[in-house]
Amino acid sequence: MRVYEQVAEELQQQGVTTIFGLIGQDTMRLAAVAATRGLRYVAARHEMGAVTMAAGYGRVTHTVAVAIVSRGPGLTNAMSGIVGAAKAGTPLIVLSGDEPLLQDGRGRDPKYVDQSAMLGAAGVRVTHPESAATAQGELRDAFDQARRGLTVAVLIPLDVLEADSRPLGNVPEAKAHDQRVSANAASVHAAADLIEGCGSDARIAIVAGRGAIATDSVAALSHLGEITGALMGTTIMAKSLFDSSANNLGVVGTFSSTPTREYLAGTDVLIAAGASLNPFTTQKGALFPSAVVIQIDVDHDAFGRYTTPNVPIHADVRSGAAELAAELERRGFKGRGRNHASIAPRSPFSTANGTIATSDDSAVLDPCELMRQLDHILPKERIVAVDAGHQLTFACAHLSVPDPDAFLFPIEFQCIGTALGMAIGAAIARTDLLTVVSLGDGALMMGLGELDTAIQLRLPLLLLIVNDGGFGAERHYLDMLGLPADTARFVNPAFKDIAIAMGADAMTIHTLNDLPALAAKLASTLTRPLLVDCLINDRVRAEWLESNLRREPAPGVALN
């Protein structure tokens, strides 16, 4: 058996059913053999698309996803997607070839680049099997690492891939990595002392981040909220986690409503649950200026990465919250901080929109009002993916999701063009739902080839192209600096015509009066992608652009 056959067998034994890729000479045998074994192979048009599709698929299915690319230029093309996945803690295996270990006298491979060094410098875990005898075992170890929330690149030299070897036999039954970690009693007591010391009338806020989603912690956090009298908010990555709560503050950070910001400014105790408290979430410390901080996180490195907590609790969110609530109950503590919450909002969306209109032109399409109306038109049960770039302001603030797992926001590397691939991967995983992706016109042109992937697969995918005729953030920055913005503008082709020519359905929205036609198209299940070119008012500017330019505390893009 050749090693590439072993690898295909191992993928199957690990429970992989779908792989994404753009193959080359080194990985073509692997992909072909995997397909003959019954694995579904989804061919992307660009290597970054293959990686981001896999990431989106894995996010929705809660499995370790697999992407296959070729060595050298194939891997370098995929790098932005790989780095973004690694920064997001995505369980992902990226399989690639590598330069042959044994040179044949013809000199160095033209495709050579030190792939291990490149990936390592980018913070990506690398496995590099150097013999046929170890390749399958090292891939097995890579899957174990991926189940712990790592993106792992497995680089198999071409001569190793084609070598003969004996299979290892059946893999032990794959089990999801158990992230439950009980809290140290001393840290729980210290946190309870801190809360008690602030008094029962203290204003307490719980902010849940991505780490709270993974541990199914809503019940434990809600109970802790009842004991402490806390109001409940989330970072953008945990969007909608507390939507059913009457004490929901909504998103904390960029898209906080004015009442939420006012309440948080007077917070005495902040309990961060699986939230990194990065500068965007805390507005560089301005959002909670006088709060003492209790941070619950399973990641030791989270403590002090952005904010040094007064009391760190190393535990998964569910365990840490439950143990802290139990200790406060044992002491008979009952917080009354919610009595101060008459100004707390009951809507998770910003009432102020977080935007500034730099011109008064009611005749053109307001992107905020567009997204608000789309939120009512779109089916409630849906997946929403939002790309990086200026347009994220409108979709993140005004498009709701049924639960945090239905929200894909690849912002960790702030690379535009990655959400389309993630949306395609999600749509492949959940063909029973409408997947909606919001991206700018510049991002669409960068990844236009992947529209064909979605068309070939006849996916129920809605592409909202927020078209402002350029790179919006850069154009606004240049305007604020008093510099010519022509370099950030471009003339787009007719996206509707291109999409229809490729085989998609498409329409253009000039004003809100065009929305009924879109609602009619969405009245029945989509049988192919639908591209909607939204010609927005390009003078509407996000508030956070000004603060980013000044580097001052103000609403910023809330991450973890």
Side-chain angles (χ1 to χ4, degrees), residues 207-501:
V207 177
R210 179 167 33 208
I213 304 171
T215 55
D216 188 23
S217 58
V218 175
L221 288 172
S222 297
H223 182 57
L224 179 60
E226 289 298 321
I227 299 300
T228 59
L231 294 186
M232 322 287 288
T234 72
T235 66
I236 190 65
M237 293 304 189
K239 182 181 173 78
S240 84
L241 191 68
F242 299 127
D243 276 2
S244 62
S245 171
N247 299 291
N248 180 26
L249 283 167
V251 173
V252 173
T254 304
F255 308 111
S256 294
S257 66
T258 298
T260 294
R261 294 175 189 172
E262 290 174 352
Y263 180 82
L264 292 173
T267 298
D268 300 304
V269 181
L270 173 66
I271 302 174
S276 67
L277 296 181
N278 61 66
F280 303 119
T281 299
T282 66
Q283 297 178 21
K284 300 179 182 178
L287 196 56
F288 322 101
S290 58
V292 293
V293 177
I294 298 167
Q295 187 174 4
I296 305 171
D297 210 295
V298 75
D299 180 8
H300 266 300
D301 294 336
F303 306 124
R305 180 183 295 153
Y306 299 108
T307 300
T308 301
N310 296 83
V311 179
I313 299 178
H314 180 237
D316 70 89
V317 171
R318 181 173 60 182
S319 300
E323 291 167 37
L324 179 55
E327 175 61 21
L328 289 169
E329 283 185 298
R330 187 188 67 78
R331 300 183 183 196
F333 181 85
K334 181 65 175 177
R336 298 190 297 270
R338 287 175 181 169
N339 295 342
H340 302 294
S342 60
I343 63 168
R346 293 294 178 258
S347 168
F349 304 124
S350 169
T351 56
N353 301 331
T355 58
I356 301 167
T358 58
S359 68
D360 183 14
D361 191 350
S362 58
V364 293
L365 190 61
D366 176 7
C368 297
E369 186 58 31
L370 169 67
M371 293 296 175
R372 276 193 290 266
Q373 294 206 24
L374 284 172
D375 192 54
H376 296 292
I377 291 172
L378 298 173
K380 183 176 180 181
E381 295 298 318
R382 63 201 183 217
I383 295 170
V384 175
V386 180
D387 202 44
H390 186 246
Q391 60 78 38
L392 69 84
T393 305
F394 319 121
C396 283
H398 301 295
L399 290 184
S400 60
V401 289
D403 59 73
D405 282 334
F407 184 60
L408 308 178
F409 186 37
I411 193 64
E412 292 80 6
F413 197 34
Q414 298 189 2
C415 174
I416 68 170
T418 54
L420 178 56
M422 290 195 74
I424 291 172
I428 290 170
R430 293 296 305 271
T431 56
D432 58 316
L433 295 178
L434 176 68
T435 296
V436 182
V437 57
S438 174
L439 66 162
D441 45 317
L444 174 67
M445 291 300 289
M446 290 175 67
L448 190 60
E450 300 309 347
L451 175 58
D452 181 67
T453 304
I455 292 167
Q456 297 297 325
L457 297 171
R458 302 190 69 83
L459 296 177
L461 177 67
L462 175 63
L463 296 89
L464 299 175
I465 311 306
V466 184
N467 187 347
D468 62 0
F471 290 124
E474 287 73 18
R475 182 172 50 76
H476 287 300
Y477 282 139
L478 289 168
D479 285 343
M480 287 185 282
L481 290 168
L483 295 172
D486 292 344
T487 51
R489 297 181 184 274
F490 36 75
V491 178
N492 287 316
F495 292 142
K496 174 184 174 181
D497 294 344
I498 290 175
I500 291 174

